[in-house]
Amino acid sequence: MPKIDDINYPIENSGKATSDENESEGHMVKNKAAQWYWRRLKVITAVWMIAWSIPAVVLHIPIGATSSIKILNGIPLHWFNAALLSIIIGVILIFLYAFLMDRTDRIIKLSAKESNDAD
Amino acid sequence: MDLSIRKLSIIAFSIIYALVILGLSYLGNTFIASGVAVFGSLFLYLLIAFIMRTRDVSEFYVAGRSIGAIPIGSSIASNWMSGASFVSMAGAIALLGFDGLPYIIGWTLGYCIAAFMIAPFIRKSGTYTIPEFIEVRASYWSVARLIGVIMLFIVSFTYLVAQLVATGVIVGRFLGLPAILGAIIASVIVVAFAGSGGWKSIVWVNVAQYWILIVAYWCAFLGAAYVAGIFNPWPHVGYGELLTQLETRETFFNLKAFTEPFVRAFGGGTGHVNWLLSALCLMLGTVGLPHVLSQFYLVKDVRTARYGVGWGLTFIALLYITAPVYAILARSAFSGAWGMPVDQVINLSWVQKWLPTGLIKVMDMNRDGLLQPSELSFHNDIVVVGMPDMFGLPWFFTTIVAIGGLAAALSTANGLIMVMAVGATRDIYKRFINPNASERKEIWIGRAMLVILSAVSSVLGARALEDPTFSTYVALLVGWAFVFAAASFTPIVILGIFWKDLNKYGMIAGMICGMITALPYVLGVGLYGTAPLTIFGSKIGTIAWGSIAFLVNMIAAFLASIVTGGRRRNTQEVINFIETLKTPE
């Protein structure tokens, strides 16, 4: 989890700048923050889509092996994976994604607020 | 009247409703109690819609973008789970065994794609409809919006007719009324829900309908599970012994085991690759359906969109993880009759009750006096509607299932008719005919559209109920809607958000190539009996083919965008629009 500093906000320089410089610097800061946010969002999305492929596809590839494994007094694993486990993994993935993106949004909001306060 | 007082009237009505039903039941008048329970539930939905009525355009179109995560999750779930999901899906799995499970993962895990790649961005876009989103992304090219509206109407209208048919059948089956009358009543009621407050009314009606349908689904399930003894410790993980007994009986009667993979066809195809691609197509198709996407406009912010989809899938999962166990319970009840004398089977109380409806058929074909598995055939719907009777549950379980089935069919119809009304009003009337229409006029046009759409769909629903061939086409189209959505909307929406080089030429090329790939194959294999293609030893059915069409759309959109100059073809407005999607709220 990166800290606010990692966003590379040049807040400490803003005090000595002229108003024009401040405006252009503020714009640069905003751009940098937006770029950081988008990069992070894309990485999280890519990781979560790879994770999604597990319940959606990967879990159902080795059917030959999983169909011969019985769990819980006789439920074949390949059936259990498709009928229950995949969906539960899907639900967990969405909530984890929402939680992580929520934290990312908070970081960006907090840094924006710090930037405004410094201005 | 103050809104909180009006909300209290819902609670007061619910209490009176429950008391009247209890009173009638106590007096032993079960038929009237069932009728009051079913029609009372309709009145409850009407009351909610009326209380949430509005004249504000934003509330009418997008519920004022004010809905919280749990309510929108309930609304997403009930909007998604149709009468067919409620009544027929468990039956489809009972018939298809493991080969029917693409329905389960396909119709749930698509919401992960929605959560990660679509919902938050749709909300952030500030648009009101998916055709509007497509138009803006296609450099304000009005043709793209028109294509979007046409696709929206084809998919939603077919779906709506299927819902009206389902409602008619449910009303007919449980109350003995003509199914056509049931379909007409349903269309009138849906117009009343939507006409009173647009999405604002629909969302809250959907919320009530979700909780009613899920309680109904679970009531019969838990009752049957208790009788079947699979609470060890909980039915969803406790059916191992029951399944083993079932498969032992199936082996004894020389049948393929219920959980044996790839022995039955799915979407006209067979084999492992067909299974995987079918599930994938249903996931990709889900997130391209306009009535699914439209829900993401209603939430109050991006954060709510993300959590709302999470709650939506949670609530959907409550039904979808239960359907396979329902299937096992029903199949186990059927298998209990195998080998019994046919006379004895006909005298089983649940067989006696459902035999006249045609949902089950008993025929001693080899005239040996004993029932062979092939001599007991059943319709998908019997699994859920007949479950209370199969396990000897009291009469009111059947009524509860009827109320749940009705809620499921209506909740999907609500969303569909609203999506089309908004499409007709905002994407056609306001965009092309009268851009200066006042808010008041827009709402009245929306209401008029609702009435027209309802009238046309109820006529088609009645036709489907009367004509089995027409009904078959409607059912086929509903299944193919996922293929067409995966082949057209889904790739364009995803690329439109994540790839700024996508331009209007790429979008059009992608949609056209996707549909050209999908349509002939679906019609050929699904309608005209053309032999399906074989990939890695699997015959690829119509639904599985949707995944191929999705890929073709992506590649065509990519190549066409690159060849025509990529992002350089996008106007400054489009670039700004993409930047809006990328930046935090």
Side-chain angles (χ1 to χ4, degrees):
Chain A
M1 187 84 188
K3 295 201 168 72
I4 301 162
D5 295 347
D6 298 339
I7 305 172
N8 205 10
Y9 260 51
I11 294 167
E12 65 278 10
N13 298 332
S14 60
K16 293 174 187 173
T18 65
S19 63
D20 280 355
E21 280 170 338
N22 267 341
E23 204 171 296
S24 126
E25 208 165 75
H27 188 66
M28 187 189 79
V29 166
K30 269 188 181 172
N31 274 345
K32 273 195 170 184
Q35 279 169 12
W36 172 85
Y37 180 81
W38 185 241
R39 260 202 315 275
R40 188 170 160 83
L41 188 147
K42 280 197 291 189
V43 170
I44 292 171
T45 306
V47 170
W48 254 251
M49 283 306 289
I50 291 166
W52 162 84
S53 73
I54 295 170
V57 181
V58 177
L59 213 54
H60 315 291
I61 290 175
I63 295 273
T66 50
S67 61
S68 57
I69 300 169
K70 301 271 172 87
I71 58 167
L72 301 163
N73 292 326
I75 304 173
L77 186 57
H78 74 300
W79 171 275
F80 185 80
N81 284 345
L84 184 72
L85 188 62
S86 293
I87 303 171
I88 291 173
I89 294 174
V91 170
I92 293 169
L93 282 176
I94 294 183
F95 278 114
L96 281 177
Y97 172 84
F99 176 74
L100 204 57
M101 282 310 301
D102 213 14
R103 283 185 71 182
T104 306
D105 283 356
R106 275 209 299 272
I107 291 172
I108 208 87
K109 275 178 193 163
L110 194 64
S111 50
K113 188 174 175 293
E114 281 178 12
S115 170
N116 286 339
D117 290 349
D119 287 347
Chain B
M1 203 192 301
D2 183 48
L3 188 62
S4 57
I5 295 172
R6 284 189 271 158
K7 283 178 181 170
L8 277 177
S9 66
I10 297 173
I11 297 169
F13 173 78
S14 304
I15 293 168
I16 295 165
Y17 173 56
L19 287 174
V20 169
I21 296 165
L22 284 174
L24 286 166
S25 311
Y26 181 74
L27 294 172
N29 207 334
T30 56
F31 182 75
I32 295 179
S34 297
V36 169
V38 172
F39 284 106
S41 70
L42 298 180
F43 191 79
L44 175 67
Y45 308 143
L46 283 170
L47 187 64
I48 294 170
F50 180 72
I51 283 171
M52 292 299 170
R53 69 189 180 280
T54 183
R55 287 179 187 165
D56 182 274
V57 163
S58 168
E59 290 187 338
F60 192 84
Y61 283 146
V62 286
R65 301 194 202 271
S66 63
I67 308 297
I70 292 181
I72 201 65
S74 312
S75 179
I76 286 171
S78 66
N79 195 36
W80 177 239
M81 293 189 291
S82 60
S85 285
F86 187 95
V87 178
S88 309
M89 195 174 57
I93 296 165
L95 283 168
L96 295 173
F98 179 80
D99 296 325
L101 293 186
Y103 286 130
I104 298 296
I105 56 169
W107 282 342
T108 50
L109 293 179
Y111 280 92
C112 292
I113 305 174
F116 309 153
M117 303 186 87
I118 297 176
F121 307 99
I122 291 279
R123 173 62 185 84
K124 221 183 278 182
S125 73
T127 55
Y128 280 82
T129 65
I130 294 302
E132 187 181 350
F133 179 91
I134 291 174
E135 184 191 18
V136 175
R137 187 59 184 80
S139 303
Y140 290 87
W141 192 32
S142 56
V143 177
R145 189 167 190 166
L146 213 52
I147 293 170
V149 182
I150 292 168
M151 283 297 297
L152 181 151
F153 266 82
I154 292 171
V155 172
S156 303
F157 208 81
T158 320
Y159 238 83
L160 178 62
V161 172
Q163 295 315 308
L164 295 181
V165 171
T167 314
V169 171
I170 290 166
V171 169
R173 234 166 238 161
F174 288 97
L175 297 175
L177 295 174
I180 291 176
L181 182 64
I184 292 168
I185 291 173
S187 67
V188 171
I189 287 173
V190 167
V191 169
F193 294 160
S196 53
W199 269 118
K200 193 185 173 199
S201 288
I202 293 283
V203 163
W204 291 103
V205 170
N206 275 353
V207 170
Q209 286 172 336
Y210 171 74
W211 290 102
I212 285 174
L213 80 87
I214 202 67
V215 167
Y217 202 77
W218 272 62
C219 269
F221 167 68
L222 292 177
Y226 177 76
V227 175
I230 59 170
F231 267 89
N232 10 279
W234 188 253
H236 293 88
V237 291
Y239 58 84
E241 280 178 30
L242 190 74
L243 182 60
T244 307
Q245 287 167 16
L246 166 65
E247 297 200 326
T248 306
R249 277 203 289 274
E250 286 177 324
T251 310
F252 180 79
F253 282 98
N254 294 320
L255 296 174
K256 294 277 187 190
F258 182 62
T259 58
E260 191 174 330
F262 320 130
V263 290
R264 300 161 192 98
F266 186 90
T270 52
H272 198 166
V273 176
N274 181 65
W275 194 97
L276 289 170
L277 290 182
S278 297
L280 203 56
C281 170
L282 294 177
M283 294 175 214
L284 296 167
T286 299
V287 291
L289 290 177
H291 73 287
V292 172
L293 293 170
S294 63
Q295 297 277 309
F296 308 139
Y297 284 115
L298 316 179
V299 291
K300 56 185 171 192
D301 52 27
V302 171
R303 180 179 186 271
T304 312
R306 294 188 195 114
Y307 280 103
V309 182
W311 284 114
L313 183 55
T314 306
F315 296 146
I316 290 168
L318 288 178
L319 191 143
Y320 277 62
I321 60 170
T322 307
V325 194
Y326 247 108
I328 289 169
L329 284 166
R331 208 166 164 84
S332 173
F334 296 141
S335 73
W338 299 342
M340 279 170 68
V342 173
D343 295 341
Q344 208 176 320
V345 172
I346 287 171
N347 284 323
L348 289 171
S349 61
W350 66 272
V351 176
Q352 267 185 338
K353 178 174 174 182
W354 292 102
L355 211 50
T357 64
L359 290 181
I360 48 170
K361 285 178 183 154
V362 177
M363 199 180 288
D364 188 12
M365 288 185 286
N366 62 1
R367 299 184 181 283
D368 66 348
L370 296 175
L371 187 82
Q372 303 303 317
S374 60
E375 294 170 345
L376 172 65
S377 58
F378 62 92
H379 187 276
N380 282 353
D381 296 0
I382 190 69
V383 168
V384 171
V385 299
M387 179 69 61
D389 300 307
M390 285 180 216
F391 287 86
L393 302 177
W395 66 271
F396 55 83
F397 277 93
T398 310
T399 307
I400 291 171
V401 169
I403 296 169
L406 204 56
L410 287 175
S411 61
T412 306
N414 296 342
L416 290 165
I417 204 162
M418 197 58 217
V419 163
M420 285 190 287
V422 173
T425 313
R426 191 163 177 92
D427 294 322
I428 295 176
Y429 179 76
K430 175 92 173 166
R431 172 68 181 83
F432 295 106
I433 300 170
N434 184 5
N436 300 319
S438 66
E439 286 199 354
R440 192 178 161 79
K441 192 164 187 182
E442 266 189 73
I443 288 187
W444 278 109
I445 292 288
R447 286 175 176 152
M449 292 296 175
L450 285 168
V451 174
I452 294 166
L453 289 166
S454 156
V456 177
S457 58
S458 61
V459 168
L460 292 177
R463 167 94 198 276
L465 284 163
E466 280 176 335
D467 181 356
T469 313
F470 186 74
S471 178
T472 307
Y473 287 134
V474 171
L476 281 173
L477 274 172
V478 168
W480 296 342
F482 291 87
V483 179
F484 299 145
S488 58
F489 277 149
T490 311
I492 294 307
V493 172
I494 292 174
L495 283 177
I497 293 165
F498 283 88
W499 192 47
K500 55 186 165 192
D501 280 303
L502 179 77
N503 57 36
K504 66 179 180 184
Y505 304 107
M507 291 172 81
I508 296 301
M511 285 202 275
I512 290 173
C513 290
M515 287 304 284
I516 285 176
T517 308
L519 201 59
Y521 192 86
V522 163
L523 291 177
V525 175
L527 217 53
Y528 299 111
T530 312
L533 289 176
T534 301
I535 299 178
F536 297 117
S538 290
K539 285 182 178 168
I540 305 302
T542 50
I543 294 178
W545 189 254
S547 298
I548 308 284
F550 171 86
L551 202 61
V552 168
N553 180 324
M554 279 263 183
I555 293 167
F558 176 79
L559 292 176
S561 294
I562 293 295
V563 167
T564 55
R567 73 188 69 178
R568 282 184 286 116
R569 291 284 182 169
N570 287 330
T571 60
Q572 188 58 43
E573 282 168 312
V574 174
I575 292 162
N576 292 344
F577 179 68
I578 299 169
E579 289 303 319
T580 310
L581 301 181
K582 286 163 64 172
T583 46
E585 222 176 13

